[in-house]
Amino acid sequence: MFENKVCVVTGAGSGIGQATAIEFAERGAKLAILDRDQEGLKATSTMLAGKDRDTLSLTVDVNQASKVEAAFTRIDETFGRIDFVVANAGISGSPEDGLTADMPLETWHKIIGVNLNGAFYTAKFGLKQMLNSGDGGVIVFISSIMGQISNPGISPYVASKHAVVGLSKTIAAEYGAQNIRSLAVAPGFIETPMTDIITQDEAILGGVLAMTPMARTGKAQEVASFIATLCSEDASFVSGGYYPVDGGYLAT
Ligand code: NAP
């Protein structure tokens, strides 16, 4: 399905990003995987090697614009095109950071730096190359259910996840005529290292499940397959929207 297509995934060394890289490889794409975690990237590369797909693995902090730009130059030199960009790298907040009046400035800048600035740099340099190729493409931002609702104590995370929805809508409006689609995917509670703190605490997990109509957490693979479907021709007229993958959480 994705033969001769090139997919860039940030945060591909773990969780949803790793599952997404594998899903695209299984559908035939070549992969550029980016993460700041070298060990995670190695693990993903090993999994991709089994899929026999061309893979470029780059250790990059998405919050450093010049490094992200250099990574996209390498991707262009290696593959000569980019079809899909999944801006997935992210970090969470912790309720222990405090309510907004007490939020340390350092925490605010750290989370906004990765989740919003990093997503912006990834989209910006990815778009440049999609525009150069003239073949269109798809940008997918990994937002969150926190891109639509709030959660006291994690204001920078909530703000960043709302912000990428606005960025995605704007890109959809700016580049639709060039056949570039932009989408925001909003995972609910998905089992990854990021949510260990929830899934390993029975009381917190019970609270989450009680608010989730499907009464379970999701798997990274369930997000990955939805992202791939949105990037496919099956979704060729889908752009600008916000798409929860949350077991019904936002419906309640
Ligand atoms: P994860 O397992 O922690 O994976 C995130 C990956 O991104 C990690 O390998 C992480 O490396 C990397 N990363 C973090 N900061 C980076 C940076 N500055 N530059 C490059 N890579 C960086 O988390 P996940 O659950 O898969 O989350 C993926 C995305 O989904 C995030 O944007 C998250 O906000 C979103 N999301 C997740 C859930 C959920 O329930 N899991 C729900 C809603 C939204 P380190 O290990 O070094 O930090």
Side-chain angles (χ1 to χ4, degrees):
M1 177 201 272
F2 291 151
E3 262 75 26
N4 300 318
K5 304 276 188 195
V6 176
C7 178
V8 182
V9 184
T10 67
S14 176
I16 293 168
Q18 183 175 72
T20 300
I22 291 163
E23 180 70 26
F24 275 77
E26 282 177 349
R27 294 184 187 216
K30 298 171 187 170
L31 264 300
I33 53 172
L34 280 58
D35 204 296
R36 68 178 177 189
D37 173 11
Q38 255 179 328
E39 288 307 308
L41 271 184
K42 252 192 232 166
T44 306
S45 289
T46 305
M47 292 174 194
L48 289 171
K51 310 286 171 207
D52 201 23
R53 301 284 171 217
D54 294 353
T55 302
L56 177 65
S57 177
L58 298 168
T59 307
V60 179
D61 176 349
V62 295
N63 191 18
Q64 293 186 30
S66 62
K67 299 279 169 49
V68 178
E69 184 172 22
F72 275 94
T73 301
R74 273 285 304 282
I75 296 166
D76 187 42
E77 286 164 1
T78 305
F79 295 124
R81 61 179 296 117
I82 291 176
D83 299 281
F84 313 120
V85 173
V86 184
N88 164 78
I91 52 176
S92 61
S94 160
E96 283 158 26
D97 292 329
L99 302 186
T100 301
D102 299 315
M103 180 63 60
L105 294 181
E106 198 191 359
T107 304
W108 174 269
H109 288 300
K110 187 175 77 175
I111 295 173
I112 294 291
V114 177
N115 294 6
L116 177 57
N117 296 346
F120 166 68
Y121 303 144
T122 303
K124 173 182 167 60
F125 297 118
L127 276 166
K128 284 254 181 222
Q129 292 189 15
M130 279 179 191
L131 290 167
N132 285 344
S133 81
D135 291 338
V138 188
I139 310 270
V140 180
F141 292 91
I142 305 305
S143 173
S144 164
I145 50 175
M146 296 304 155
Q148 184 164 302
I149 56 175
S150 66
N151 192 356
I154 56 167
S155 55
Y157 186 80
V158 172
S160 70
K161 293 301 180 181
H162 276 68
V164 295
V165 177
L167 178 57
S168 177
K169 283 182 186 172
T170 307
I171 291 169
E174 288 175 336
Y175 299 107
Q178 282 82 27
N179 199 29
I180 293 174
R181 300 188 285 120
S182 185
L183 313 155
V185 167
F189 289 89
I190 310 296
E191 289 167 37
T192 72
M194 183 182 277
T195 51
D196 277 352
I197 191 159
I198 294 168
T199 48
Q200 287 170 7
D201 183 314
E202 252 178 57
I204 302 178
L205 180 61
V208 166
L209 298 186
M211 290 189 290
T212 307
M214 290 183 74
R216 67 171 177 87
T217 51
K219 308 266 183 233
Q221 166 58 30
E222 293 177 290
V223 183
S225 62
F226 184 63
I227 294 168
T229 300
L230 283 176
C231 286
S232 76
E233 281 304 299
D234 288 344
S236 51
F237 200 48
V238 177
S239 193
Y242 171 84
Y243 307 97
V245 186
D246 66 350
Y249 189 97
L250 288 178
T252 60

